[in-house]
Amino acid sequence: MAQAQGLGKRYVKAFLKGFFVAVPVTVTFLDRVACVARVEGASMQPSLNPGGRQASDVVLLNHWSIRNYDVQRGDIVSLV
């Protein structure tokens, strides 16, 4: 029984250690490099959500290109 408790403590400790590393890395990545967003509604038709579908499209928003001023004609830009 004591051995199972020690094993459980090791798993919890390893999980917390990984959690406290993964969360800041993920937040930094989503803030500085790229993030995923859903496009809903008719504002971007016919490029996104063609045909008036009820489903939404998923796009990758590239923060890195905006930070480096690498925007070209024809790119879709999202403003918040």
Side-chain angles (χ1 to χ4, degrees), residues 5-72:
Q5 287 178 344
L7 188 63
K9 284 183 181 181
R10 278 199 324 205
Y11 281 127
V12 169
K13 188 175 180 181
F15 172 78
L16 289 176
K17 199 180 282 188
F19 179 80
F20 286 119
V21 169
V23 168
V25 169
T26 303
V27 169
T28 302
F29 179 83
L30 292 176
D31 188 44
R32 299 289 180 185
V33 180
C35 67
V36 177
R38 286 185 359 193
V39 177
E40 298 174 330
S43 64
M44 291 300 296
Q45 285 180 348
S47 297
L48 300 172
N49 291 339
R53 296 182 307 174
Q54 294 298 325
S56 61
D57 287 341
V58 179
V59 294
L60 179 70
L61 301 176
N62 186 351
H63 297 273
W64 197 262
S65 292
I66 299 298
R67 213 173 290 298
N68 294 330
Y69 302 106
D70 188 23
V71 180
Q72 300 171 0

